[in-house]
Amino acid sequence: MPRITRLWQAGGGRVGIDLEGRPWRVLPAEVVLTVGCDVGVALDRPRARRLRRELRRHEALALAGRALERRSMSRAQLERHLVRGGASPEARRTTLAAIEGAGLVDDLGTAARRARVLAERGSGDALISWKLMEAGFTKEVATMALAGLDPEAKRAARLVENRGGGEATARYLARKGFEAEVVEEVLAGLVARDG
């Protein structure tokens, strides 16, 4: 059974490991410390397996961290990202649990921010809900995110005010996911006001 004969600093938070006097691997220091690698310790099968598990967990956590630095994601989006990155099911599970436990993934907060952006771009409730669920948020989270927006009729009225009434505006609002009843009500209110 090979023994660790030397540990050396490899830079960038990494540690080199020599087995039986020969360079073996360079690993993240956190992984080396977690597994208990030290000079004189035998690298038996159980320790090698634990080293591999910890390395996978570390790599998945780093992958998730880089993704979350760029933009906020739903739990489902982050899990898909980890799958594409090759993280094992166990590494995905522990990584997602750690990230959720640290409050780095907040589905409701992320969905609410995304809903506001879509509403500001002129989207109706149906389109916002669909886009949120397409991004991996649950129907319940999408519904709660919509509840934080101005009422759909008020948003539609602002668009009608800017675009004017008529069939073209009605079609536009329908394409943007506004309910038919809301479109009719807002356009009828415009006609009544101007008539």
Side-chain angles (χ1 to χ4, degrees):
M1 190 165 323
R3 292 195 174 277
I4 297 172
T5 53
R6 183 171 81 118
L7 297 174
W8 44 277
Q9 190 173 15
R14 298 176 70 77
V15 173
I17 300 175
D18 288 0
L19 289 180
E20 302 298 336
R22 295 183 187 179
W24 178 61
R25 303 252 337 239
V26 175
L27 300 169
E30 176 189 338
V31 171
V32 173
L33 292 170
T34 300
V35 175
C37 293
D38 201 355
V39 173
V41 170
L43 192 62
D44 56 7
R45 281 188 189 270
R47 189 175 306 274
R49 285 188 193 114
R50 185 163 178 232
L51 192 62
R52 187 172 43 242
R53 274 194 316 274
E54 284 300 320
L55 184 58
R56 285 181 184 151
R57 184 199 59 77
H58 179 81
E59 289 169 345
L61 198 53
L63 179 64
R66 287 189 302 272
L68 291 171
E69 283 176 354
R70 290 189 300 273
R71 67 183 177 99
S72 58
M73 302 173 117
S74 70
R75 184 187 194 286
Q77 286 174 313
L78 186 56
E79 185 164 17
R80 285 194 300 266
H81 184 75
L82 290 170
V83 167
R84 284 192 306 272
S88 70
E90 180 184 349
R92 288 194 309 266
R93 185 176 29 68
T94 59
T95 297
L96 290 169
I99 285 176
E100 285 177 317
L104 298 175
V105 172
D106 171 19
D107 275 6
L108 183 55
T110 303
R113 286 187 296 278
R114 181 72 178 137
R116 277 194 302 277
V117 167
L118 291 167
E120 288 167 6
R121 291 180 184 167
S123 297
D125 287 356
L127 181 59
I128 294 170
S129 182
W130 180 80
K131 285 191 176 253
L132 291 175
M133 288 189 292
E134 181 184 50
F137 297 103
T138 65
K139 185 166 181 60
E140 179 184 351
V141 168
T143 300
M144 289 190 289
L146 286 170
L149 300 175
D150 284 341
E152 187 177 46
K154 186 174 181 179
R155 298 190 327 263
R158 281 195 300 260
L159 288 169
V160 168
E161 206 49 49
N162 291 335
R163 295 179 62 90
E167 277 188 45
T169 297
R171 285 192 304 273
Y172 174 81
L173 291 173
R175 278 194 316 275
K176 295 295 275 182
F178 286 89
E179 295 295 327
E181 297 81 26
V182 169
V183 173
E184 289 171 17
E185 178 185 311
V186 169
L187 290 175
L190 180 68
V191 169
R193 187 192 76 192
D194 292 346

